[in-house]
Amino acid sequence: MEWKDLARLVVKSVPRGKVTTYGDLSVALYGTSDRGQPVAAMVKKWAREDPRAETHRIVHDDGALPDVGLHREKLQYEHVPFALDGKVDLEACKVSLPPKDALP
């Protein structure tokens, strides 16, 4: 399975109005949180290649938004809550991802 295929499965497990983080995606894909930056780079590339990708539901570990695409607008449309500092309120809307071996 290619990384993009796996990423699509993981991203589809995050419903509208919810988010996950690059660190959590790293744990789900690789079993460790220290691959967040490479995961972020791959997700950004995927978003540029496929504008329909639902990568807007993946945010930084502190709730900050990436610099790619219309993340804020898409998340606001899905009623994702934001904190006063402009970051996503992770306590209110972050979901846990299944580990790679639990994905269909």
Side-chain angles (χ1 to χ4, degrees):
M1 177 179 284
E2 290 187 19
W3 192 92
K4 285 184 187 180
D5 297 326
L6 184 57
R8 285 186 185 107
L9 290 173
V10 173
V11 170
K12 286 184 179 188
S13 71
V14 181
R16 293 174 57 90
K18 301 292 183 181
V19 299
T20 192
T21 66
Y22 290 108
D24 287 351
L25 187 53
S26 173
V27 170
L29 296 174
Y30 300 107
T32 179
S33 63
D34 65 357
R35 303 273 322 222
Q37 288 182 331
V39 167
M42 288 186 274
V43 171
K44 287 178 184 179
K45 181 178 179 188
W46 176 38
R48 284 191 290 269
E49 291 177 8
D50 181 3
R52 295 171 293 135
E54 296 179 351
T55 57
H56 62 282
R57 295 183 186 144
I58 304 170
V59 300
H60 293 289
D61 291 347
D62 65 352
L65 301 178
D67 296 337
V68 177
L70 301 170
H71 275 71
R72 180 171 302 281
E73 291 83 356
K74 290 178 179 180
L75 293 174
Q76 286 174 328
Y77 181 77
E78 294 182 3
H79 303 288
V80 168
F82 286 84
L84 294 177
D85 62 3
K87 296 177 181 178
V88 171
D89 182 354
L90 294 176
E91 287 186 27
C93 63
K94 182 177 150 185
V95 297
S96 297
L97 296 174
K100 176 174 64 172
D101 56 350
L103 293 171

